[in-house]
Structure formats: structure tokens, C-alpha cells
Amino acid sequence: MSNMAINNERQTAGAPPRHILSRYSFEGNTADVLSDIYREDTNMAIWQRTLSDKLAVAAEDILRRKPHLKASSIVSPETAVSTANEMIGLEGNASLFSEDIAQLVDMFCCLFDLRRAGLRITALDRAMCPRFHVDRVPCRLITTYVGHATEWIPHELVDRAKLGIGNQGQSDDASGLLKNSHAIHQLKRGDVALLKGEQWEGNEGAGLVHRSPSISMTARRLVLTLDFID
């Protein structure tokens, strides 16, 4: 069962009736929590999973062998393993990594009734998207196998007018984007998250606000994302 994590905007007393953009994040320790992304009042669903020791070692080995890995492809559940093998090779326990990718592709395609998905595997030594932003997509799956994971802000704790050019050249911390100093939340390594974007019908103006974590010169990340294709 999933747990409702965040309760967002409420209508001001005495204000005229209007459409209220209330958005929640849901989290749980089983994969079925991901189906909560279909709730109208949800813009994030998090499967809080722990990587097995063997899978964690396999991911770290891939990052060590391929420190500049940047691979993307269009895959189906049937082709995911072979495509992943081509991306990362077959050394060591890499097959465990490919099998995990295939499982995520199968779940993503099944959940959204897709024949194919856009797969991207990226090794990072710097923040790929260092500023808070929203994605102009229907929904994106993201998981971090090595390193620090994605940071995000609950819907009711962000001033969206300060996104993009609205920050007037100021940092996220100084622009007024964050409504309080405790607004930033962070996924954990291994978590599988679905981030509802601006192109999800009915979610305009409520796409999940997130960014890459800041990482030190010695820290690296290995990140997987899946996107809609069909």
C-alpha cells in the first residue's frame, strides 16, 4: 500500500470558487505504488526499493569501466536486454544490470500501454540539470544506481513564477523559488520515481519541480531515465 506524502494548495477562505491545483506525492516499498501516478491529484509516485548487493556492485563496475557513458535508444520490452547489453557490455555482472533495465522497461510500457520507450543511461560527474525545472513531457521514470539521486520540491512549497527567466538571474536559493528552507526533498539511490510533467493532460502548471543534485569532484552518478515514445 502507498502512503500519501504531501498535501498541497488549499483554497483561501472567502475566495470565489476556482479550480484548485492540489498535488501529492505517493511512496511505497512495492512497485504497485507507481500506478498512483494516474491519480488526478498526484504528480509523483516513488517505489522505494533497495538495490541488491550484486546489482549495486554491477552498477558501480559499469561506472568504473565506462566513466563517460552516455547511451540512448528506443526499446521495447522484447529488445531491452539486448539493447542494454550493447550499451554496457557483458563484463562481470553486467547482465544483472541489463535484466533490471528490462524489468523497468516492461513495467513502464505496461503501465502506460506503450509499445516502446525512450531509454537513456548516463554517467555523470557534474549536475546535468542544476537548476530546478519542470519537464515538458507527459511522464518520466528516473532511477539512480550510483551516487546521489534527484532533488525535488513538493507542489505547495514552490513559487512557479520563479522558474526559468522568472528567477531574474538569481540562484534557486535566492530567487524566492523555495517557500521555506526545508522545501527540498531528495530521492534515494535505487528509488524508482515517476515524475508527471507539464504535457500530462490535466497537469498543466503542476509538473513536478526537480533538479539534479550537486555533486563533488570525486562523486559520480549512474542514472537511467525512461520516456514516452508512442
Side-chain angles (χ1 to χ4, degrees):
M1 297 292 291
S2 60
N3 298 312
M4 187 169 66
I6 302 294
N7 187 0
N8 297 310
E9 297 180 2
R10 295 178 173 83
Q11 189 171 7
T12 303
R18 63 179 179 87
H19 175 65
I20 307 170
L21 287 179
S22 296
R23 292 295 184 269
Y24 305 84
S25 69
F26 282 79
E27 57 190 32
N29 57 14
T30 58
D32 61 359
V33 70
L34 297 178
S35 65
D36 283 336
I37 200 67
Y38 275 104
R39 294 176 57 116
E40 184 178 1
D41 59 356
T42 300
N43 66 359
M44 188 179 196
I46 309 167
W47 172 21
Q48 298 174 312
R49 68 168 185 167
T50 301
L51 300 179
S52 70
D53 291 342
K54 288 185 177 180
L55 180 54
V57 169
E60 290 166 358
D61 182 57
I62 291 165
L63 187 57
R64 185 167 50 251
R65 288 190 292 104
K66 296 180 176 290
H68 306 294
L69 177 64
K70 289 180 174 56
S72 60
S73 184
I74 296 173
V75 297
S76 67
E78 295 75 24
T79 64
V81 167
S82 60
T83 301
N85 286 340
E86 291 175 4
M87 290 176 169
I88 63 176
L90 295 172
E91 294 89 341
N93 289 323
S95 61
L96 292 176
F97 192 79
S98 296
E99 290 167 4
D100 191 68
I101 291 172
Q103 179 188 32
L104 295 179
V105 170
D106 184 61
M107 291 170 54
F108 189 76
C109 289
C110 180
L111 182 61
F112 296 113
D113 194 24
L114 303 172
R115 293 177 299 165
R116 303 175 301 166
L119 165 67
R120 182 171 60 183
I121 307 172
T122 310
L124 297 165
D125 60 3
R126 59 182 59 85
M128 182 168 59
C129 299
R131 299 297 299 259
F132 278 111
H133 63 284
V134 295
D135 291 330
R136 306 293 173 180
V137 299
C139 191
R140 174 169 289 157
L141 180 149
I142 186 167
T143 187
T144 300
Y145 287 93
V146 179
H148 300 295
T150 301
E151 296 177 344
W152 59 281
I153 309 176
H155 183 69
E156 86 283 8
L157 297 180
V158 58
D159 181 352
R160 290 175 180 267
K162 305 299 183 181
L163 291 171
I165 62 173
N167 61 46
Q168 298 183 339
Q170 300 181 82
S171 69
D172 288 336
D173 293 331
S175 67
L177 174 72
L178 312 176
K179 292 189 177 179
N180 67 59
S181 60
H182 304 292
I184 300 174
H185 293 231
Q186 187 168 26
L187 298 173
K188 294 182 174 61
R189 176 186 182 183
D191 285 351
V192 176
L194 292 176
L195 283 57
K196 193 178 287 183
E198 291 289 309
Q199 292 183 3
W200 182 288
E201 185 176 356
N203 197 57
E204 300 84 357
L208 187 85
V209 177
H210 64 287
R211 71 179 179 188
S212 301
S214 58
I215 53 180
S216 70
M217 293 296 291
T218 58
R220 299 187 65 85
R221 302 176 67 211
L222 185 63
V223 180
L224 175 146
T225 60
L226 293 175
D227 284 292
F228 284 30
I229 293 296
D230 297 322

